[in-house]
Amino acid sequence: MPNPLRLGIAGLGTVGVGVIRILENHAALIAARSGQPIEITAVSARSKAKDRGVDLAGYAWEDDPVALAKRGDIDVFVELMGGEDGPAKASVEAAIVAGKHVVTANKAMLAIHGQAMAEAAESSDVALKFEAAVAGGIPVIKSLTEGLAGNKITRVMGVMNGTCNYILTRMENEGVPYEQVFADAKALGYLEADPNLDVGGIDAGHKLALLSSIAFGTKVNFAGVELEGIQRISITDIEQASDMGFRIKLLGVAQLTGRGLEQRMQPCLVPKNSPFGQLENATNMVLLEGDAVGQIVLRGAGAGEGPTASAVMSDVIDIARGFRLSTFGQPAIGLKNIQAAQVSAAAAFYLRLMLKDAPGVLHKITGALADAGVSIDRMRQYSHADTAAPVLMVTHKTTRAELDHALAGIISTGVTLQDPVAIRIEDV
Ligand code: HSE
C-alpha cells in the first residue's frame, strides 16, 4: 500500500468533526478512490478538553495552528477555523511557505486575500483548494473549473446563504415577522457569530466574488459586489410580491458586461415557478450559464457537518489523486483586473407605495414615473378602510438610475405616506 496522505486539521467545529467522521467511516472506500490511504496526523483547535463526540486520541495536538501548518509530518493543511484574518490567514500563509497543500472552507479569507494566496500557492507549487467555501455540499467549484471548462460563462446566479433563505421562506410560509424568525434562526444555531455576515448579505457576497473569479477569469473583487441584506424585507412585501406571482430571495448575480464586471447580492423578486422561486428553507441553489451548455442548476445543502465535510474531502481526494488545478481554474498571475460595473443591467422593479387617498394622487405618481422615463407594466390598488391607499406597481425594464430619479420625484409629490419600497425583479 502506498504511503498515506497526511492531514493536519485546524478547527474542530462542525465541519472539522465532519471530516474526522467521514475519514473514520469511509477509510477503505477513500483509499481505493484516492490510490492511497488518507490519515489525520495532527489537529488544532481552541479547546483540547471539549467533548466533540469523536476520539482525538490518535492525533497529535497543537495549540497553535501555525505550528500545525509547519509540521514536517503533514502533507495537507486543512483550515476550518474561519475568519478573514488572524490565525486562519497566518496559518494558511505558513503552510504555503512550508510547501503544504491547503484545503480551506474560508470564504471570507479568500474573498479578501484569495488572489495573493493563490499566487503564493502557485509559485510554491502547492494546491490551494476551497470547494467547501461556496454553497457547502454543492460541487460548484468543480462544476465551473472542470465540467464547464469548455464554455464561455455568461452568467452565475445563486441563493448561497441558507440562513437568509430559511428566514425569508418562514416569513412567507408562516406570516412570521423578520425579528421573530431571526430569533429562531439564532436559537437554532444557524447564524454566524456576527449575524450581519448572514443577513447583511456579506457571506453570500464573499461566495459570489469567488465564483465570479473562476467564471470570468478575473481577480477576486469582493469590494466590487453591490451588497444589500434582507433586514428591511417586510411581511407586507413578501405577501404582496406573492400576490403578483413572485417570491423574494437574497439572490446573487454575476456577469461580465461591456460596462465591467457586474456583481450583485441583494433581495430580488423571482417568479414563483422559477427554480429559485421554488427553493425552500436553508437549501442553496446555484445557476451556471455557459454559451455551449446553456443553463445548469445545482441544488443542495449549503452548510452543515456532512455537506461541508463532503466538499472538504473532495478537495483532499483530488490532492491524493495527484490532480492539480490552479486555485481559480487558471494561473492566478494571469487573472484579469476588470473594473466593477457602475451601472447594473436594466430590470423591471416592484414598487410598493402607501399613498394619500385623495383625487389626483395617482396622476402625480404616474407623472413622476413618466418624467423619469419609467413605464408601468402592471398596477394594483388594494382595498382599504382608512385614508391610506396601498398601491403596487411592476415597472417595465428600467435602469436603477432612472428608477431612483422616479422615486425622488414620487417622494417630492408629497402624496406618499411612507418611503416607497423598490425591489428588483430578476430575469431567471
Ligand atoms: N452561514 C452560511 C449560511 C453557511 O447560512 O448559508 C456558511 O457559509
Side-chain angles (χ1 to χ4, degrees):
M1 196 60 159
N3 288 333
L5 183 80
R6 301 162 302 172
L7 311 185
I9 302 180
L12 295 175
T14 309
V15 184
V17 167
V19 171
I20 292 174
R21 288 214 173 98
I22 290 182
L23 282 164
E24 280 174 359
N25 294 339
H26 298 316
L29 175 153
I30 288 169
R33 288 180 180 164
S34 307
Q36 67 180 136
I38 297 179
E39 294 178 3
I40 299 168
T41 303
V43 296
S44 173
R46 270 196 226 126
S47 158
K48 189 174 180 182
K50 183 175 170 184
D51 180 8
R52 298 174 171 88
V54 286
D55 183 7
L56 303 179
Y59 317 135
W61 179 270
E62 292 281 0
D63 285 324
D64 176 9
V66 174
L68 174 65
K70 293 178 179 169
R71 280 177 71 108
D73 58 358
I74 70 159
D75 306 303
V76 182
F77 179 65
V78 182
E79 187 280 304
L80 302 173
M81 295 176 286
E84 181 180 316
D85 291 298
K89 176 169 179 275
S91 56
V92 166
E93 287 171 346
I96 292 170
V97 169
K100 315 294 182 188
H101 302 296
V102 175
V103 172
T104 179
N106 192 331
K107 61 232 93 185
M109 176 184 74
L110 290 177
I112 307 301
H113 307 294
Q115 178 67 27
M117 286 180 165
E119 286 184 25
E122 286 162 28
S123 68
S124 294
D125 205 20
V126 294
L128 168 60
K129 297 180 70 69
F130 63 96
E131 184 67 74
V134 182
I138 299 177
V140 61
I141 308 291
K142 260 194 180 296
S143 298
L144 271 176
T145 53
E146 298 175 45
L148 303 183
N151 286 257
K152 177 181 178 192
I153 301 297
T154 47
R155 193 163 55 150
V156 172
M157 301 176 80
V159 168
M160 296 185 286
N161 185 276
T163 305
C164 287
N165 207 52
Y166 165 82
I167 292 174
L168 292 172
T169 52
R170 270 203 62 203
M171 285 172 73
E172 178 172 4
N173 296 340
E174 298 170 34
V176 187
Y178 174 83
E179 292 72 20
Q180 190 179 325
V181 190
F182 178 91
D184 290 349
K186 191 163 187 180
L188 286 166
Y190 280 16
L191 286 158
E192 302 276 340
D194 172 5
N196 194 43
L197 288 176
D198 285 317
V199 296
I202 300 164
D203 168 83
H206 287 149
K207 295 166 182 168
L208 186 71
L210 295 173
L211 292 185
S212 289
S213 172
I214 299 172
F216 306 116
T218 51
K219 292 186 176 165
V220 183
N221 182 6
F222 172 65
V225 180
E226 191 184 329
L227 270 186
E228 190 186 327
I230 62 164
Q231 302 98 320
R232 291 192 306 158
I233 299 296
S234 68
I235 285 282
T236 310
D237 289 314
I238 287 178
E239 286 174 353
Q240 301 201 340
S242 172
D243 214 28
M244 307 280 270
F246 298 104
R247 293 184 88 187
I248 301 180
K249 298 288 171 192
L250 179 69
L251 185 66
V253 180
Q255 53 197 345
L256 195 54
T257 72
R259 296 164 280 107
L261 178 60
E262 182 176 334
Q263 302 180 95
R264 288 183 274 113
M265 181 59 68
Q266 59 192 180
C268 291
L269 266 62
V270 295
K272 276 186 190 174
N273 60 3
S274 66
F276 288 112
Q278 293 170 36
L279 192 65
E280 297 288 335
N281 299 319
T283 311
N284 282 202
M285 182 176 281
V286 183
L287 183 152
L288 305 172
E289 192 180 88
D291 61 347
V293 75
Q295 292 188 343
I296 65 162
V297 176
L298 303 167
R299 178 183 179 281
E305 178 182 311
T308 315
S310 159
V312 169
M313 284 311 302
S314 129
D315 283 343
V316 169
I317 291 169
D318 265 358
I319 291 170
R321 287 169 164 164
F323 179 60
R324 295 280 180 280
L325 192 62
S326 307
T327 301
F328 295 106
Q330 60 178 275
I333 200 86
L335 293 169
K336 294 180 293 261
N337 214 346
I338 304 278
Q339 65 166 19
Q342 298 304 312
V343 183
S344 49
F349 283 83
Y350 153 101
L351 293 184
R352 180 165 64 83
L353 307 169
M354 192 59 83
L355 304 175
K356 287 180 188 164
D357 193 1
V361 161
L362 274 180
H363 175 71
K364 290 184 178 162
I365 297 296
T366 54
L369 287 162
D371 287 349
V374 177
S375 177
I376 300 164
D377 177 31
R378 285 187 272 160
M379 194 181 122
R380 186 174 288 176
Q381 178 167 323
Y382 286 87
S383 59
H384 55 101
D386 56 18
T387 54
V391 171
L392 284 191
M393 290 179 182
V394 171
T395 71
H396 281 290
K397 280 193 176 179
T398 182
T399 63
R400 182 73 219 196
E402 283 169 338
L403 186 82
D404 285 342
H405 181 191
L407 292 174
I410 286 172
I411 291 168
S412 72
T413 60
V415 300
T416 53
L417 298 171
Q418 291 172 6
D419 277 348
V421 174
I423 308 177
R424 187 181 174 98
I425 300 175
E426 197 63 50
D427 273 337
V428 290

